[in-house]
Amino acid sequence: MLHFFVLSPIAVMFLLIAFPSFQLAVMAIIAMTIFFRTEMHRDSVTHGGIYVGALFYGVVVAMFNGLAELSMVVSRLPVFYKQRDYLFFPSWAYALPAWILKFPLTFVEVGVWVFLTYYVIGFDPYVGR
């Protein structure tokens, strides 16, 4: 029994650290339970507030999803400055590969978010659209 209680949280933490899209999927499930409305009405200020709240939550999750990687970026700064000072690489050659690699990952994360939350929150009343 102890084996289950020790390895299960380790497996969950591995999924959260190794696969950022899994963390985003967990946040999407939380959003689906908070803003569960398969048919959102758009005729009052109260429903508009719920609609804007769901949109704001989605934007905040998309913005701060990569915040965990900030410590890795900061840890690479001494190498960046040393290479820049010795004229080894130009600064764009060091920053461009990381930017190019993160661009498709951002599209995948936003796609996971939209796929999981769009109908359940009530942005569109039809699943097939």
Side-chain angles (χ1 to χ4, degrees):
M1 192 66 155
L2 180 65
H3 180 70
F4 176 76
F5 289 116
V6 171
L7 290 183
S8 196
I10 291 173
V12 169
M13 289 307 293
F14 174 74
L15 285 173
L16 288 175
I17 291 170
F19 304 108
S21 296
F22 179 76
Q23 184 178 10
L24 188 72
V26 170
M27 293 298 290
I29 291 170
I30 291 170
M32 289 187 309
T33 58
I34 292 172
F35 299 106
F36 182 72
R37 299 179 183 280
T38 54
E39 202 173 301
M40 185 179 291
H41 302 287
R42 295 173 177 89
D43 56 353
S44 72
V45 176
T46 305
H47 292 117
I50 295 170
Y51 183 76
V52 170
L55 285 175
F56 178 73
Y57 183 73
V59 168
V60 167
V61 166
M63 277 184 6
F64 294 116
N65 192 31
L67 197 63
E69 299 171 6
L70 190 62
S71 64
M72 290 186 292
V73 171
V74 170
S75 69
R76 293 187 333 192
L77 282 176
V79 176
F80 170 75
Y81 288 128
K82 191 172 189 178
Q83 289 181 357
R84 186 196 65 180
D85 291 342
Y86 289 142
L87 301 175
F88 189 61
F89 281 125
S91 59
W92 61 266
Y94 191 73
L96 193 63
W99 185 74
I100 289 173
L101 288 174
K102 291 191 195 245
F103 212 15
L105 183 63
T106 302
F107 281 125
V108 168
E109 289 173 351
V110 170
V112 166
W113 179 266
V114 169
F115 179 75
L116 288 175
T117 63
Y118 201 71
Y119 171 71
V120 177
I121 289 178
F123 293 138
D124 191 10
Y126 304 107
V127 179
R129 276 185 144 175

